[in-house]
Amino acid sequence: SAGAPRPLPSSGPKSLREMPHPLATSSSEEMGPALTPSPDLLLPRSIADKDLSLPNGTPVDTSSPASSSSLLNRLQLDDDLDGETRDLFVTVDDPKKHVCTMETYITYRVTTKTTRAEFDLPEYSVRRRYQDFDWLRNKLEESQPTHLIPPLPEKFVVKGVVDRFSEEFVETRRKALDKFLKRITDHPVLSFNEHFNVFLTAKDLNAYKKQGMALLSKMGESVKYVTGGYKLRSRPLEFAAIGEYLDTFSLKLGTIDRIAQRIIKEQLEYLVELREYGPVYSTWGGLEVELSEPLEGVSACIGNCCTALEELSEDMTEDFLPVLREYILYSESMKNVLKKRDQVQAEYEAKLEAVALKKEDRPKVPTDVEKCQDRVECFNADLKADMERWQNSKRQDFRQLLMGMADKNIQYYEKCLTAWESIIPLLQDKPETK
């Protein structure tokens, strides 16, 4: 009948067996649209197709540059090609320490350049602290519940473990906050959010916080979700596949993160031993006049290997681990949006049941049921779009991350090889002079 509720949009009736698993080894072409979680969990297939060699050493693309550094540079240039069409650019830099009577904290300069009509000026520069970024994220979650909000770096400061005012920690956090804002800037919906506009432009953000931004909070009224009282019968197959993928993805990344931390710890312990090991040869050389030159060479060689290992460990700590942790948090954010979607669908199902149980004949479905169905459709569409966008970003980020890691390891072993090769002439027999 005309008053019957509209069917919810779906990818079609598929059994779980027919749906490709996110971690399956099938090609992306066989998996269908980008909505389906990608099989490229950790090593995007596009790397192997284009830029790397086959396991037997045969290059796939003979025209590729020889060094991984040039590959990485070319990759970054390719990723920046769409920069010309963008109309909003945001950067986070210039961290400063503020010492007050009650507290000590760090602020960061947030610079915005834009041609959008929503902004009164083409350029802004404001200072923000971590809790301001946290306020922004909370406001985005409240006003855009159907969208995936990028994660903030964790406030994981434990006394005696992490010095949150150290140069290394502040720089790591600055990079993470910069990436957080850039991900919002690149989003076709979040970048137009009024809370984001206020964050980028307001000289005194605290004034807006105190006001509660009553006018802006109305934006989220049409998509409010119910947090309890309803239980979802079953999650649609496509969203069940997404949930399963996110669980497996975060589990695998968590394992890689723990192993990587152990490797770094062992590298640093090995570094301590090397630093004690090298000078022994130098001391020995002082006692052996005839052997002093080769022994000093070995000592210098070990010193060079120490420097190379220290750089490799720093790169893993500052560049590799933060990306893993960001995506673990990202998957948790996506799970939260998925739960909100489930809650709205559960509310919709409960309302339909309530209508069906009523004895009196109703020619039309009640307005509140239709509004609830609209919210479900809104969640479905936004979640699918954000999942596709997130998968594309993940492929690019992990491609660049793994290429960079390969590059750093190549550099490390090349430095060690060069160091050891340099002392071979010193160790070879020299013709005796008569």
Side-chain angles (χ1 to χ4, degrees):
S1 64
R6 306 184 305 278
L8 295 178
S10 168
S11 294
K14 293 183 181 179
S15 68
L16 283 174
R17 291 185 178 181
E18 290 176 313
M19 295 191 69
H21 190 276
L23 303 181
T25 56
S26 59
S27 67
S28 58
E29 287 82 358
E30 295 169 344
M31 293 196 67
L35 148 70
T36 306
S38 166
D40 312 326
L41 179 57
L42 294 177
L43 180 60
R45 188 173 58 83
S46 55
I47 300 181
D49 284 353
K50 188 173 182 181
D51 294 333
L52 297 182
S53 298
L54 297 173
N56 63 4
T58 305
V60 175
D61 183 359
T62 54
S63 63
S64 296
S67 85
S68 54
S69 296
S70 54
L71 288 174
L72 191 57
N73 290 336
R74 188 180 71 187
L75 170 66
Q76 290 169 336
L77 287 173
D78 290 343
D79 289 343
D80 291 339
L81 289 177
D82 65 339
E84 297 178 3
T85 61
R86 293 171 56 189
D87 54 6
L88 181 63
F89 299 86
V90 180
T91 56
V92 178
D93 61 7
D94 189 28
K96 284 186 179 179
K97 186 176 180 180
H98 300 260
V99 181
C100 303
T101 307
M102 300 298 293
E103 63 175 337
T104 301
Y105 59 93
I106 303 292
T107 64
Y108 304 85
R109 181 174 62 190
V110 178
T111 304
T112 304
K113 295 182 180 180
T114 182
T115 56
R116 289 187 180 180
E118 292 81 12
F119 292 84
D120 296 329
L121 301 173
E123 189 168 343
Y124 294 86
S125 180
V126 295
R127 298 204 71 84
R128 299 285 184 254
R129 55 187 297 186
Y130 179 87
Q131 66 182 33
D132 297 329
F133 288 84
D134 192 41
W135 170 86
L136 170 63
R137 191 178 189 283
N138 289 333
K139 286 298 180 183
L140 289 175
E141 278 199 326
E142 289 175 12
S143 58
Q144 310 281 179
T146 64
H147 284 288
L148 171 62
I149 311 300
L152 270 175
E154 293 174 296
K155 203 169 186 178
F156 52 86
V157 179
V158 182
K159 288 185 178 179
V161 178
V162 178
D163 178 9
R164 67 190 181 100
F165 299 115
S166 69
E167 195 173 317
E168 295 79 8
F169 179 84
V170 170
E171 175 59 16
T172 300
R173 172 159 285 184
R174 183 203 65 77
K175 288 179 180 177
L177 294 175
D178 182 74
K179 183 173 285 187
F180 169 70
L181 291 188
K182 281 182 167 56
R183 292 200 187 282
I184 297 173
T185 301
D186 291 339
H187 196 282
V189 176
L190 300 181
S191 64
F192 287 93
N193 185 280
E194 290 191 52
H195 296 93
F196 187 45
N197 186 306
V198 168
F199 176 87
L200 297 178
T201 62
K203 287 295 181 184
D204 183 12
L205 191 61
N206 289 326
Y208 285 89
K209 290 181 181 180
K210 291 173 183 176
Q211 291 173 10
M213 301 188 74
L215 294 176
L216 298 183
S217 64
K218 292 181 180 179
M219 296 169 56
E221 288 184 1
S222 62
V223 284
K224 281 183 181 176
Y225 56 93
V226 179
T227 56
Y230 304 105
K231 188 175 181 181
L232 185 67
R233 291 178 192 161
S234 62
R235 185 181 278 172
L237 294 180
E238 56 192 323
F239 295 110
I242 291 175
E244 184 181 351
Y245 168 78
L246 292 171
D247 287 339
T248 308
F249 177 75
S250 57
L251 181 66
K252 296 299 182 187
L253 279 199
T255 302
I256 292 173
D257 179 56
R258 288 192 298 274
I259 294 174
Q261 289 188 65
R262 288 205 301 269
I263 291 173
I264 293 172
K265 182 175 179 289
E266 291 170 3
Q267 285 177 339
L268 294 177
E269 291 171 351
Y270 176 50
L271 190 58
V272 171
E273 300 292 340
L274 276 183
R275 284 174 175 156
E276 294 179 3
Y277 184 53
V280 174
Y281 286 94
S282 183
T283 306
W284 180 17
L287 302 175
E288 301 273 0
V289 178
E290 294 181 355
L291 295 176
S292 62
E293 189 177 7
L295 290 175
E296 286 289 351
V298 172
S299 179
C301 169
I302 294 172
N304 290 333
C305 290
C306 282
T307 303
L309 181 59
E310 187 175 15
E311 291 173 356
L312 180 64
S313 297
E314 286 177 359
D315 287 328
M316 284 195 68
T317 303
E318 296 173 8
D319 298 330
F320 186 75
L321 291 183
V323 176
L324 296 183
R325 288 167 183 163
E326 184 201 12
Y327 270 91
I328 292 172
L329 293 173
Y330 234 138
S331 63
E332 293 303 315
S333 297
M334 180 63 87
K335 288 179 189 177
N336 289 335
V337 180
L338 204 55
K339 287 177 183 177
K340 293 176 187 176
R341 193 217 72 85
D342 291 347
Q343 290 163 356
V344 172
Q345 184 183 337
E347 180 191 5
Y348 171 64
E349 290 176 354
K351 288 182 183 294
L352 278 182
E353 285 182 3
V355 170
L357 289 174
K358 288 186 178 180
K359 295 180 180 179
E360 63 269 21
D361 294 329
R362 287 176 176 254
K364 293 186 64 177
V365 175
T367 305
D368 62 330
V369 177
E370 291 186 336
K371 286 182 178 179
C372 190
Q373 182 172 14
D374 289 341
R375 291 202 296 272
V376 176
E377 293 175 356
C378 180
F379 256 108
N380 289 351
D382 290 349
L383 184 57
K384 290 176 187 178
D386 280 2
M387 186 66 183
E388 180 179 348
R389 190 176 296 105
W390 181 71
Q391 289 285 14
N392 290 334
S393 295
K394 177 175 65 67
R395 288 189 191 96
Q396 293 179 11
D397 288 345
F398 275 94
R399 182 187 184 197
Q400 186 166 334
L401 178 73
L402 297 176
M403 290 286 285
M405 184 174 68
D407 192 34
K408 297 298 182 183
N409 275 275
I410 290 171
Q411 290 178 18
Y412 165 69
Y413 288 109
E414 283 179 342
K415 288 174 183 176
C416 291
L417 179 63
T418 301
W420 286 108
E421 284 180 338
S422 68
I423 66 169
I424 290 177
L426 300 176
L427 302 176
Q428 290 175 335
D429 292 335
K430 295 182 179 179
E432 295 183 7
T433 55
K434 294 183 180 180

